[in-house]
Amino acid sequence: MSYASFFAVAAGLSLSACSPSSFLTEVQGEATVPASPAGTPTLLNAFPAISSFSALDFNENQDFKNRDVTKDEVSRVQVKSMTLKLLSPNDQGFDFLDSLEAVARAGNSESRFAARDGISGLGLNAPNPTLSLKADGSVDLRPYVAAPSMAIILRGTGRLPEREVRVQATVVLEVEGGLL
């Protein structure tokens, strides 16, 4: 091996050792959509809050800890997927929901990162259907993840279901940052 070839290989290895790493992390929570008063169709004017999404601190996230990465070392955060699974009752579909959007908030700043319209017409019927929102790949959530505290808020329109409905929300994030 010539000296120039050896130098090129060594330089390539040292550069790749300092390149940013990428990993996936997931945040999950549950919410309960209240039932409509008996016999009275009622508009859904606010989607219930998901308590585990209200004060996210990614320095406490297990995937960050496993990678030995702090939120200050993150260079980019992109949403890979956002889903909402209907947990109960198991004979309920998503026909009560027309639209849903997911928003990241930190302080007075917020950005919509996923949404779905026309949900009631998708045919997401029982048992336990899963709704996938369309993630906006151009939104970088790094400023929100790096903030002292971040919230994920769901906003929806539709009608209150006939019975109380419990849902589970899951957000999968691709995080770039730290060193390999």
Side-chain angles (χ1 to χ4, degrees), residues 65-164:
K65 289 178 180 182
N66 292 346
R67 296 282 183 149
D68 198 27
V69 173
T70 67
K71 61 186 179 185
D72 297 329
E73 297 171 326
V74 170
S75 58
R76 180 166 169 74
V77 179
Q78 186 173 10
V79 177
K80 297 307 281 183
S81 67
M82 168 83 194
T83 58
L84 198 68
K85 181 177 182 174
L86 205 145
L87 298 176
S88 67
N90 65 359
D91 61 348
Q92 174 71 47
F94 276 108
D95 57 337
F96 68 94
L97 199 55
D98 292 330
S99 68
L100 192 66
E101 71 176 4
V103 176
R105 179 186 286 166
N108 294 328
S109 181
E110 65 177 46
S111 291
R112 185 175 101 163
F113 64 83
R116 189 73 184 248
D117 291 319
I119 297 168
S120 60
L122 294 175
L124 299 173
N125 300 319
N128 307 101
T130 298
L131 168 67
S132 295
L133 275 64
K134 296 176 182 175
D136 183 344
S138 67
V139 176
D140 182 4
L141 294 183
R142 186 220 169 275
Y144 301 94
V145 168
S149 179
M150 171 189 169
I152 296 174
I153 301 163
L154 297 179
R155 296 181 179 139
T157 62
R159 293 144 313 284
L160 289 176
E162 290 180 14
R163 296 177 290 169
E164 186 176 271

